[in-house]
Amino acid sequence: SQQGEEDPQALSIQEGENATMNCSYKTSINNLQWYRQNSGRGLVHLILIRSNEREKHSGRLRVTLDTSKKSSSLLITASRAADTASYFCATDAYLSNAGNMLTFGGGTRLMVKP
Amino acid sequence: KAGVTQTPRYLIKTRGQQVTLSCSPISGHRSVSWYQQTPGQGLQFLFEYFSETQRNKGNFPGRFSGRQFSNSRSEMNVSTLELGDSALYLCASSLGTGDNEQFFGPGTRLTVL
């Protein structure tokens, strides 16, 4: 089952605008990761934010994490047509065996119009 | 470093058959996880292998199984295929020491007729 919801499910913007996607989750986490997927291909890792971090930047990406609200947001600034893709958040809960088990949200389909 | 590779990229099978998918992780990564992606259920965790042992398992029937070899390469097997098994199967590799990124392969698209 999915950990939570992503909002919005779809987003259409013009090139140059900023895009914000939100992710909510249900249980305590070790970290939260954001991925991009183009047209049913593999997932590209964008950024990982740990539970003790509140904000992280990578190029045009900014991720925030609010563990008290169990939510995260991904901001893409100055969007480009090449940013058109589906974006997924995935939570990595703490496992006693130090294992990896990502639980994904439903994703946000972003379309950036030239 | 080379990325995660998966073979084959596409497969067409009929109901009742079985299938084996392969995944080669990034060099040095000891954990391989498998995920199923369908339009209806989204991305769901199948299982994770670490040092040739299944370390975690998702909620899938026993028809789904896997293994990992000493070189960290992993295979997953689906027996008695059903139409609902049609999906994109993704594998991900990581160091496996808890709090680290998982890197995904391009996936194998399985179609069951």
Side-chain angles (χ1 to χ4, degrees):
Chain A
S1 62
Q2 293 179 358
Q3 165 74 289
E5 299 295 324
E6 291 190 53
D7 170 55
Q9 290 187 333
L11 180 61
S12 182
I13 59 174
Q14 294 294 134
E15 214 167 21
E17 294 181 337
N18 295 342
T20 300
M21 290 159 262
N22 302 296
C23 166
S24 62
Y25 57 91
K26 297 173 184 173
T27 61
S28 297
I29 62 171
N30 200 25
N31 65 63
L32 185 146
Q33 304 180 38
W34 284 90
Y35 290 86
R36 184 185 74 226
Q37 185 178 41
N38 290 84
S39 300
R41 297 182 184 176
L43 296 166
V44 174
H45 186 271
L46 296 176
I47 201 163
L48 178 153
I49 185 166
R50 292 181 170 80
S51 59
N52 61 354
E53 297 175 313
R54 290 298 166 256
E55 188 170 311
K56 211 161 182 182
H57 297 255
S58 177
R60 294 184 296 113
L61 306 180
R62 172 178 169 255
V63 168
T64 61
L65 178 65
D66 187 335
T67 53
S68 66
K69 295 181 180 179
K70 292 187 169 56
S71 67
S72 174
S73 67
L74 169 68
L75 169 67
I76 304 174
T77 60
S79 63
R80 305 166 182 168
D83 295 329
T84 295
S86 291
Y87 291 81
F88 295 89
C89 69
T91 53
D92 196 356
Y94 175 75
L95 299 175
S96 58
N97 60 12
N100 294 115
M101 187 174 75
L102 294 177
T103 305
F104 284 85
T108 293
R109 293 186 308 279
L110 174 66
M111 175 174 287
V112 182
K113 300 175 184 177
Chain B
K1 284 184 178 179
V4 180
T5 59
Q6 290 187 246
T7 57
R9 294 292 309 280
Y10 302 91
L11 264 179
I12 299 176
K13 293 285 187 179
T14 57
R15 280 179 298 176
Q17 288 187 310
Q18 74 166 16
V19 67
T20 299
L21 313 180
S22 180
C23 171
S24 292
I26 292 170
S27 177
H29 284 189
R30 295 169 63 192
S31 167
V32 174
S33 299
W34 289 89
Y35 294 82
Q36 181 196 65
Q37 186 178 27
T38 60
Q41 299 298 317
L43 281 151
Q44 293 188 291
F45 172 79
L46 280 156
F47 29 65
E48 180 211 9
Y49 285 86
F50 180 79
S51 293
E52 302 178 66
T53 301
Q54 187 180 85
R55 188 160 64 170
N56 291 292
K57 188 177 189 305
N59 295 323
F60 279 80
R63 300 185 298 106
F64 292 81
S65 62
R67 58 177 175 169
Q68 186 180 35
F69 302 94
S70 58
N71 61 359
S72 293
R73 189 177 70 86
S74 176
E75 289 181 347
M76 69 162 279
N77 184 275
V78 188
S79 62
T80 320
L81 284 166
E82 301 176 359
L83 295 178
D85 297 333
S86 292
L88 181 67
Y89 290 89
L90 296 160
C91 85
S93 82
S94 72
L95 292 171
T97 52
D99 188 20
N100 35 66
E101 299 94 331
Q102 292 198 46
F103 297 91
F104 283 79
T108 294
R109 184 162 296 283
L110 171 65
T111 302
V112 182
L113 303 176

